[in-house]
Amino acid sequence: MKTKSLHNQLVDWRHDLHMNPQISFEEVYASNKVANLLNEFGIEVHQGIAKTGVVGVLKKGTSTKSIGIRADMDALPINEINTFSYKSKIENRMHACGHDGHTTMLLGAAKYLAEHGNFDGTIYFIFQPDEENTFGAKTMIEEGLFTKFSIDEVYAMHNIPGMEVGSFGTRKGAITASENLFEINIEAKGGHAALPHMGVDAITVGSQVAIALQSIVSRKLNPADNGIISITEFITDGKKNVLPGKVKMTGDARALSKQTNELIEKNMKKITKGICDAHGVSCDISYKTTCPVTFNESEQVDYATKAANSLLGNKKSNGDIEPRLFSEDFSIMSNDKPGCFVLMGNGIEGSNGRPLHAADYDFNDELLVIGSSYWVELAEQQLK
Ligand SMILES: [Zn+2]
Ligand SMILES: [Zn+2]
């Protein structure tokens, strides 16, 4: 592994980032640290793209070919319950998705490539804010990521708990789902709890809608396709002895294709409206895609898998894993440029094996050298 000698340094950087987590567009600590280190490595630094976003530009040789590698820097509004020495110093802020590790791996690759990199072309190191609310990539693009910089193709990585540490996976086509937030408002008459026949109970109608929506995935969607509808809030204005007149349901639908997403939206509107009509109540449905499907271009998947094979051997790298139903705003970058999103195992044991966003999760320090060496391998192969 090319970045092996950086191990202690990488662990220090990661622990420092872990102790100082900040959320969406507030990642000043990480952003300054990234910019200072890139400067120290002799890399051209561009700050202030989407507030805290940073782009490092490293050019060698004469080729006009280029590659962009993206890491996310934001933490989550979670209170960390880990007790190790480098636990979060900030209340209700935690690197519970491993973005401290993603940032550190890309910094490690940047240091190695600046000092010893054997390539001909330009590498763009992209450090983005706010992945969790899915506005970071979008805002960086709006502020010129792909117009100010000539980036041919883009790559990004996420750690995956429960997968053997350092094992690699990606796939062609959709790799992570779209996120679609919906809100359903039902307006009925309400009434007296003891006189239901004189009013209209919004809870009874809302409950029927909630149950019926579950039949979309089980009965409308081709079983070979994937989708999820989760109703996550059900709020009424009822009281102990008052039938509610209003129900508000919000939720989250996921899909691995535009077609599935359209099918979910269309059926959600049809079923909700049908049930409400039958009860003589009115409804209003909004359905918004906040993050598109992450689509991996075949050619870039081949390159990404080839680099993993060279680094890890083909037993530890898989170019045809199953898609994941979480969403990832790198999708917005790979919508604009051919790209590939890859996963690397964070380990199975202890805090490394806990789910992302759990208050006792932790990024695996063993992955720092592997992940940064992977970026070095990929960049050197792509810019031979
Ligand atoms: Zn996350
Ligand atoms: Zn994440």
Side-chain angles (χ1 to χ4, degrees):
M1 299 266 166
K2 286 189 171 155
T3 61
K4 199 175 169 206
S5 64
L6 296 178
H7 178 262
N8 292 345
Q9 176 100 84
L10 296 179
V11 171
D12 279 352
W13 291 342
R14 212 276 291 177
H15 289 188
D16 181 50
L17 289 169
H18 192 86
M19 283 191 277
N20 296 283
Q22 290 165 313
I23 58 167
S24 41
F25 295 110
E26 293 174 6
E27 310 87 343
V28 178
Y29 189 88
S31 174
N32 287 336
K33 187 179 176 83
V34 165
N36 290 338
L37 284 169
L38 292 177
N39 259 321
E40 218 177 82
F41 310 153
I43 291 175
E44 179 187 320
V45 179
H46 299 258
Q47 280 180 274
I49 305 165
K51 278 190 189 159
T52 50
V54 182
V55 176
V57 185
L58 178 63
K59 187 173 164 52
K60 286 191 184 182
T62 52
S63 166
T64 54
K65 268 195 87 180
S66 69
I67 179 175
I69 308 174
R70 172 281 219 171
D72 36 16
M73 301 186 290
D74 56 321
L76 286 150
I78 292 175
N79 240 337
E80 179 160 14
I81 59 170
N82 287 315
T83 52
F84 42 62
S85 59
Y86 57 91
K87 68 173 188 288
S88 170
K89 292 199 291 195
I90 307 170
E91 203 180 322
N92 200 33
R93 295 288 183 270
M94 176 187 175
H95 270 296
C97 205
H99 300 182
D100 50 344
H102 301 166
T103 300
T104 304
M105 292 188 292
L106 191 54
L107 282 170
K111 182 174 163 67
Y112 180 92
L113 286 161
E115 289 168 2
H116 316 285
N118 180 18
F119 65 92
D120 184 6
T122 307
I123 306 171
Y124 294 92
F125 302 97
I126 305 163
F127 295 87
Q128 79 157 75
D130 191 35
E131 191 288 318
E132 296 291 350
N133 296 316
T134 70
F135 289 107
K138 183 173 173 275
T139 312
M140 283 191 89
I141 293 168
E142 283 167 1
E143 296 189 11
L145 179 64
F146 294 139
T147 51
K148 284 183 192 151
F149 307 105
S150 163
I151 302 173
D152 293 343
E153 49 176 8
V154 285
Y155 295 85
M157 183 194 295
H158 211 294
N159 76 95
I160 298 291
M163 204 165 122
E164 189 196 341
V165 61
S167 58
F168 168 96
T170 189
R171 79 191 303 269
K172 294 182 177 176
I175 183 163
T176 70
S178 61
E179 183 179 38
N180 313 280
L181 299 177
F182 59 86
E183 183 173 321
I184 298 170
N185 283 290
I186 294 172
E187 189 115 29
K189 254 203 232 159
H192 193 296
L195 302 165
H197 60 296
M198 297 182 70
V200 180
D201 171 18
I203 281 193
T204 312
V205 182
S207 310
Q208 288 175 17
V209 169
I211 299 294
L213 293 184
Q214 292 308 319
S215 69
I216 297 174
V217 171
S218 67
R219 285 298 173 265
K220 301 286 180 203
L221 186 63
N222 180 338
D225 295 335
N226 308 70
I228 305 175
I229 297 172
S230 292
I231 293 164
T232 51
E233 281 182 303
F234 193 108
I235 301 160
T236 80
D237 64 347
K239 301 281 175 292
K240 250 188 240 172
N241 56 358
V242 179
L243 295 176
K246 287 190 171 95
V247 162
K248 176 173 135 179
M249 277 181 265
T250 63
D252 185 341
R254 308 272 170 146
L256 284 172
S257 73
K258 218 174 158 207
Q259 289 76 358
T260 301
N261 192 32
E262 282 166 5
L263 177 140
I264 291 175
E265 180 180 3
K266 192 180 101 201
N267 281 284
M268 179 176 287
K269 289 182 171 165
K270 203 166 150 191
I271 289 171
T272 305
K273 183 125 195 341
I275 291 173
C276 289
D277 279 351
H279 290 280
V281 304
S282 67
C283 62
D284 179 70
I285 305 143
S286 76
Y287 190 97
K288 253 206 303 228
T289 298
T290 53
C291 188
V293 170
T294 308
F295 188 85
N296 279 345
E297 206 63 61
S298 283
E299 216 177 299
Q300 275 62 33
V301 172
D302 289 338
Y303 300 144
T305 309
K306 190 175 151 222
N309 277 332
S310 320
L311 185 75
L312 307 163
N314 56 9
K315 276 207 182 95
K316 279 196 154 190
S317 52
N318 182 350
D320 190 24
I321 57 164
E322 297 204 324
R324 309 280 162 146
L325 270 290
F326 62 80
S327 55
E328 165 58 59
D329 87 340
F330 174 70
S331 56
I332 301 169
M333 290 189 187
S334 66
N335 254 355
D336 279 15
K337 297 283 170 181
C340 180
F341 186 64
V342 308
L343 307 176
M344 267 203 176
N346 195 54
I348 293 153
E349 303 280 300
S351 56
N352 303 142
R354 297 283 299 134
L356 297 170
H357 296 199
D360 57 352
Y361 158 88
D362 193 32
F363 185 87
N364 193 336
D365 285 329
E366 254 189 78
L367 190 54
L368 294 170
V369 165
I370 304 169
S372 51
S373 295
Y374 174 73
W375 288 139
V376 170
E377 188 67 42
L378 179 70
E380 289 187 336
Q381 283 195 5
Q382 289 306 87
L383 305 175
K384 254 193 201 124

